[in-house]
Amino acid sequence: MPLNVVILGGTKGIGRALARRLAARGDRVHLLGRDVEDLARCAADLQARMPTPSPVTFSVCDLERPETFAPAVSAAATELGGFDTFVVTAGLFATQPQLEADRAFTLRLLTVNFAHTILLCEHVRSYLLARSGGTLCVFSSVAGDRGRKPVILYGATKAGLTAYLEGLDHKFRAAGLRTICVKPGFVRTGMTEGLPEPPFAADPDQVATTVVRAIDRGTPVVYAPPIWALVMLVIRWLPRAAMRKVGF
Amino acid sequence: MPGVQVRSENLEAITVDVPLTRGLGRAYGDAALPAPGDTRIAGSALADRILQFNPETGDMTAEAGLSLDELYRAFLPKGWFTPVTPGTRFVTLGGMVAADVHGKNHHVDGCFGRHVSAVRLRVADGRVLTCSRTEHAELFFATMGGMGLTGHILEVSFRLARVPSPWIYQEARRVPDIDTFLAALKESAAAWPMTMGWIDCLSKGSSMGRGVLFRGRWAERHEAPADFPALNAPIPVPFMFPDGLLNVHTASAFNALIYHQPQARAGVVHPRSFFYPLDVAADWHRGYGPRGFTQYQCVLPASGGHAAVRRFLEVVTGAGGASFLCVIKDCGPEGEGLLSFPRPGISIALDLAMGDDTQALIDRMNESVIAEGGRIYLAKDALTRPDHFRAMEPRLDRFLDIRRTWDPEGRIRSAQSVRLFGW
């Protein structure tokens, strides 16, 4: 059975790659995003890639404007005739030095990545539980696994998000809500353009492959690419004394 | 400092006030590198959306960063492919227009530009406009093969071709010398849509030009396997080979191995092995060691006949193992692009390991090309001298006139344009 998938963040980066994979195998996709013209271009792209082209729909949802959440969820449900999968790849990013120098943007990033993302998930949780279940797949990050020097603020939002998603999974999986917490490592996208590339850097398509598999299987926590599970295992067990010394 | 490349999904935004846009940056020479002093250029690779596709006609409009690799994966399963493909799938639509690429079917289908109906371009003064055969036609023809110097290519409209199956039917046949080779290419062109050959550049004298001729066509559905010819990620060449590992002796053994495969082989093959034999290994250039390599490709006019090809090959083989293998192909009519490379005649492409005498060899080859009335392919050039290029290109002044009209201050430029044209 093809999925009926809603993606917030499907116009760029990993979200774009993921939307393409789903559309190419025949899943029906509804895009959410801020910029209508950008959404229309992405919808055309997905439509052309479907096995039998059919119109791909979209509506406006802005993580900076919580008042758009309820209308977006109901618009997506109307357009798809009900959805069973909701993916959030959108979020804000800046490097630690950039954030340290800009309080206003720090507040925006903390608000969008933590408070607003969770608020949106609450809308989706209610919707999916009301129709006896479905999949909520949200992009957190390996940055949330441990407080680390280069990602203190960004990582803190992702740590909070990860904890929220874990709680949801514990409480509602039995009721049919499958929560998937995706933790990508460094991925080469517009978001990371210009940053020095660490080891194990991946392309969006690799991550998308891993995430599609996780959606199909309902895996609650997924590192992408999978090597990051091992890397983070080591980093989580490093003593504080060592973490103070190392640069990562 | 060689400069940085800025990439974004929003190609229009990043092409404001930059001297050059590049695609995947795989050009063999300096066509996709910033000119000396330029520090920032745009990269189109993240702008890769299909904006329109008509499943009745195959007409497609897409952003310039869409790669052939992506098109292969998304559209070959549906029975569509670009009517022209170069020898690598790691090339963007913008790059295919800029170099007006050709493939094994040039004698039948011409260059990629022939199948392009319109290009959306950010010209030097910042305007974004659409050019086609009827709208800003001179700009359109200067853009085909214009190496990205007429403006930043934002979107390309072109037509995909229907293929009966995603597999290739290929025949490979051993050819003992250059005369036989040229005759066989000519004879094959009449019956086969795709032809090309590999020549062993280490063989001299009576066996000069010996090699293997390949002829192919898309396999009919009843001949082809039922499954899709999937593309694996390229196998990485994880380290630099030591200098000199790829030398006359190893290459000579390799060439003999290829040549002495069974006399005639025919059958259905993977399109990857037919179109993109070298894409199997990522970073295969590392095989050439830390100094790397360059490519060289020229076309010798048909009017020179076999003798012209023989004279040119004598220059190549006389250099004693500077190149191990070359690719030979007969070209069809000249394209519409003002600087489009192919013209009726024989095209010869070769890899050259970079060395102290590479410049001298390229000078000698260029002198031979000029004497024969031929020309070189800018997409593969890094070392040609400006006066040599001018001597090969009677069309150059017209191209530069159009470039000057649209870009009087020379804002759009590359390392190659500054090297060859001075701006």
Side-chain angles (χ1 to χ4, degrees), chain B residues 43-80:
Chain B
S44 67
L46 299 180
D48 63 348
R49 286 177 291 197
I50 296 159
L51 302 172
Q52 231 164 24
F53 177 64
N54 182 338
E56 305 296 315
T57 60
D59 285 310
M60 176 178 279
T61 297
E63 293 174 328
L66 182 66
S67 72
L68 205 48
D69 183 53
E70 183 69 22
L71 260 180
Y72 178 113
R73 293 166 195 275
F75 278 80
L76 196 52
K78 297 165 178 262
W80 295 100

Coordinates of all heavy atoms in Angstrom, one line a residue, chain B residues 43-80:
Chain B
G43 N 27.9 27.4 -7.6 CA 27.8 25.9 -8.0 C 26.3 25.6 -8.1 O 25.6 25.9 -7.2
S44 N 26.0 24.9 -9.2 CA 24.6 24.7 -9.5 C 24.0 23.3 -8.9 O 22.9 23.1 -9.0 CB 24.3 24.8 -11.0 OG 25.0 23.7 -11.6
A45 N 24.9 22.5 -8.4 CA 24.5 21.1 -8.2 C 23.3 20.9 -7.3 O 22.7 19.9 -7.4 CB 25.7 20.3 -7.6
L46 N 23.1 21.8 -6.4 CA 21.9 21.6 -5.5 C 20.6 22.1 -6.2 O 19.5 21.8 -5.7 CB 22.1 22.4 -4.2 CG 23.3 22.0 -3.3 CD1 23.3 22.8 -2.0 CD2 23.2 20.5 -3.0
A47 N 20.7 22.8 -7.2 CA 19.5 23.3 -8.0 C 19.2 22.2 -9.0 O 19.7 22.3 -10.2 CB 19.8 24.6 -8.6
D48 N 18.5 21.2 -8.7 CA 18.3 20.1 -9.6 C 16.9 19.6 -9.7 O 16.6 18.4 -9.8 CB 19.2 18.9 -9.1 CG 18.8 18.4 -7.7 OD1 17.9 19.1 -7.0 OD2 19.2 17.3 -7.3
R49 N 15.9 20.6 -9.7 CA 14.5 20.1 -9.8 C 14.1 20.0 -11.3 O 14.5 20.8 -12.1 CB 13.6 21.1 -9.1 CG 13.7 21.0 -7.6 CD 12.9 22.0 -6.9 NE 13.5 23.4 -7.0 CZ 13.1 24.4 -6.3 NH1 12.2 24.2 -5.3 NH2 13.7 25.6 -6.4
I50 N 13.2 19.1 -11.5 CA 12.5 19.0 -12.8 C 11.3 19.9 -12.6 O 10.5 19.7 -11.7 CB 12.1 17.5 -13.1 CG1 13.3 16.6 -13.2 CG2 11.2 17.4 -14.3 CD1 13.1 15.2 -12.9
L51 N 11.2 20.8 -13.5 CA 10.1 21.8 -13.4 C 8.9 21.4 -14.2 O 7.7 21.8 -13.9 CB 10.6 23.2 -13.7 CG 11.8 23.7 -12.9 CD1 12.3 24.9 -13.4 CD2 11.4 23.8 -11.4
Q52 N 9.1 20.7 -15.3 CA 8.0 20.3 -16.2 C 8.4 19.1 -16.9 O 9.6 19.0 -17.4 CB 7.8 21.5 -17.2 CG 6.4 21.9 -17.3 CD 6.3 23.2 -18.0 OE1 7.2 23.6 -18.8 NE2 5.3 24.0 -17.7
F53 N 7.5 18.1 -17.0 CA 7.8 17.0 -17.9 C 6.5 16.6 -18.6 O 5.5 16.4 -17.9 CB 8.3 15.8 -17.1 CG 8.6 14.6 -17.9 CD1 9.5 14.6 -18.9 CD2 7.8 13.4 -17.7 CE1 9.7 13.5 -19.7 CE2 8.0 12.3 -18.5 CZ 9.0 12.4 -19.5
N54 N 6.6 16.4 -19.9 CA 5.4 16.0 -20.6 C 5.6 14.5 -21.0 O 6.4 14.2 -21.9 CB 5.3 16.9 -21.9 CG 4.0 16.5 -22.7 OD1 3.6 15.4 -22.6 ND2 3.6 17.5 -23.5
P55 N 4.9 13.6 -20.4 CA 5.1 12.2 -20.7 C 4.6 11.8 -22.1 O 4.9 10.7 -22.5 CB 4.3 11.5 -19.6 CG 3.4 12.5 -19.0 CD 3.9 13.8 -19.4
E56 N 3.9 12.7 -22.8 CA 3.5 12.4 -24.2 C 4.7 12.6 -25.1 O 5.0 11.8 -26.0 CB 2.4 13.3 -24.6 CG 1.2 13.2 -23.7 CD 0.5 11.8 -23.7 OE1 0.4 11.2 -24.8 OE2 0.2 11.3 -22.6
T57 N 5.4 13.8 -24.9 CA 6.4 14.2 -25.9 C 7.8 14.0 -25.4 O 8.8 13.9 -26.2 CB 6.3 15.7 -26.2 OG1 6.4 16.4 -25.0 CG2 4.9 16.0 -26.8
G58 N 8.0 13.9 -24.1 CA 9.3 13.8 -23.5 C 10.0 15.2 -23.2 O 11.1 15.3 -22.8
D59 N 9.2 16.2 -23.5 CA 9.7 17.6 -23.2 C 9.9 17.8 -21.8 O 9.0 17.6 -21.0 CB 8.8 18.6 -23.8 CG 8.9 18.7 -25.3 OD1 10.1 18.8 -25.8 OD2 7.9 18.6 -26.0
M60 N 11.1 18.3 -21.4 CA 11.4 18.5 -20.0 C 12.0 19.9 -19.8 O 12.8 20.3 -20.6 CB 12.4 17.4 -19.5 CG 12.8 17.6 -18.1 SD 13.9 16.3 -17.5 CE 12.7 15.1 -17.0
T61 N 11.7 20.6 -18.7 CA 12.4 21.7 -18.3 C 12.9 21.5 -16.9 O 12.1 21.0 -16.0 CB 11.5 23.0 -18.3 OG1 11.0 23.2 -19.6 CG2 12.2 24.2 -17.8
A62 N 14.2 21.7 -16.7 CA 14.8 21.4 -15.4 C 15.8 22.4 -15.0 O 16.3 23.1 -15.9 CB 15.4 20.0 -15.4
E63 N 16.1 22.5 -13.7 CA 17.1 23.4 -13.2 C 18.5 22.9 -13.7 O 18.7 21.7 -13.8 CB 17.1 23.6 -11.7 CG 15.8 24.2 -11.3 CD 15.6 24.3 -9.7 OE1 16.1 23.3 -9.1 OE2 15.0 25.2 -9.2
A64 N 19.4 23.8 -13.9 CA 20.7 23.5 -14.5 C 21.5 22.5 -13.8 O 22.4 21.9 -14.3 CB 21.5 24.8 -14.8
G65 N 21.3 22.4 -12.5 CA 22.2 21.5 -11.7 C 21.7 20.0 -11.7 O 22.4 19.2 -11.1
L66 N 20.7 19.7 -12.4 CA 20.2 18.3 -12.5 C 21.3 17.5 -13.2 O 21.7 17.9 -14.3 CB 18.9 18.2 -13.3 CG 18.3 16.8 -13.4 CD1 17.9 16.3 -12.0 CD2 17.1 16.8 -14.3
S67 N 21.7 16.4 -12.6 CA 22.8 15.6 -13.2 C 22.2 14.5 -14.0 O 21.1 14.0 -13.9 CB 23.7 15.0 -12.1 OG 23.0 14.0 -11.4
L68 N 23.1 14.0 -14.9 CA 22.7 12.9 -15.8 C 22.5 11.7 -15.0 O 21.7 10.8 -15.2 CB 23.8 12.7 -16.8 CG 23.4 12.1 -18.1 CD1 22.2 12.7 -18.7 CD2 24.6 12.2 -19.1
D69 N 23.3 11.6 -13.9 CA 23.2 10.4 -13.0 C 21.8 10.4 -12.4 O 21.1 9.3 -12.4 CB 24.2 10.6 -11.9 CG 24.2 9.4 -10.9 OD1 24.3 8.3 -11.3 OD2 24.1 9.7 -9.7
E70 N 21.3 11.5 -12.0 CA 19.9 11.6 -11.4 C 18.9 11.3 -12.4 O 17.9 10.6 -12.2 CB 19.8 13.0 -10.8 CG 18.5 13.2 -10.0 CD 18.3 12.5 -8.7 OE1 19.3 12.0 -8.2 OE2 17.2 12.3 -8.3
L71 N 19.1 11.8 -13.6 CA 18.1 11.6 -14.7 C 18.0 10.1 -15.1 O 17.0 9.6 -15.4 CB 18.5 12.4 -16.0 CG 17.8 13.7 -16.2 CD1 18.3 14.3 -17.5 CD2 16.3 13.5 -16.4
Y72 N 19.2 9.5 -15.1 CA 19.3 8.1 -15.4 C 18.4 7.3 -14.4 O 17.6 6.5 -14.8 CB 20.8 7.6 -15.3 CG 21.0 6.2 -15.5 CD1 21.8 5.7 -16.6 CD2 20.6 5.2 -14.6 CE1 22.1 4.4 -16.8 CE2 20.9 3.9 -14.8 CZ 21.6 3.5 -15.9 OH 21.9 2.1 -16.1
R73 N 18.6 7.6 -13.1 CA 17.9 6.8 -12.1 C 16.4 7.1 -12.1 O 15.6 6.2 -11.9 CB 18.4 7.2 -10.7 CG 19.8 6.8 -10.4 CD 20.3 7.5 -9.1 NE 21.8 7.4 -9.1 CZ 22.4 6.3 -8.5 NH1 21.7 5.4 -8.0 NH2 23.7 6.3 -8.5
A74 N 16.0 8.4 -12.4 CA 14.6 8.7 -12.3 C 13.9 8.4 -13.6 O 12.7 8.1 -13.6 CB 14.5 10.2 -11.9
F75 N 14.5 8.5 -14.7 CA 13.8 8.4 -16.0 C 14.1 7.2 -16.9 O 13.2 6.8 -17.7 CB 13.9 9.7 -16.8 CG 12.9 10.8 -16.3 CD1 13.2 11.5 -15.1 CD2 11.7 10.9 -16.9 CE1 12.3 12.4 -14.6 CE2 10.8 11.8 -16.3 CZ 11.1 12.5 -15.2
L76 N 15.2 6.6 -16.8 CA 15.5 5.4 -17.6 C 14.5 4.3 -17.2 O 14.0 3.6 -18.1 CB 16.9 5.0 -17.4 CG 17.4 4.0 -18.5 CD1 17.2 4.5 -19.9 CD2 18.9 3.7 -18.3
P77 N 14.1 4.2 -15.9 CA 13.1 3.1 -15.6 C 11.8 3.4 -16.2 O 11.0 2.5 -16.5 CB 13.0 3.3 -14.0 CG 14.2 3.9 -13.6 CD 14.7 4.8 -14.7
K78 N 11.5 4.7 -16.6 CA 10.2 5.0 -17.2 C 10.4 4.9 -18.8 O 9.4 5.3 -19.5 CB 9.8 6.4 -16.9 CG 9.5 6.7 -15.4 CD 9.5 8.2 -15.3 CE 9.2 8.7 -13.9 NZ 7.7 9.0 -13.7
G79 N 11.5 4.5 -19.3 CA 11.7 4.4 -20.7 C 12.1 5.7 -21.4 O 12.0 5.8 -22.6
W80 N 12.7 6.6 -20.7 CA 13.2 7.8 -21.3 C 14.7 8.0 -21.0 O 15.2 7.7 -19.9 CB 12.5 9.1 -20.7 CG 11.0 9.1 -21.0 CD1 10.0 8.8 -20.1 CD2 10.4 9.6 -22.2 NE1 8.8 9.0 -20.7 CE2 9.0 9.5 -22.0 CE3 10.9 10.1 -23.4 CZ2 8.1 9.9 -22.9 CZ3 10.0 10.5 -24.3 CH2 8.6 10.4 -24.1

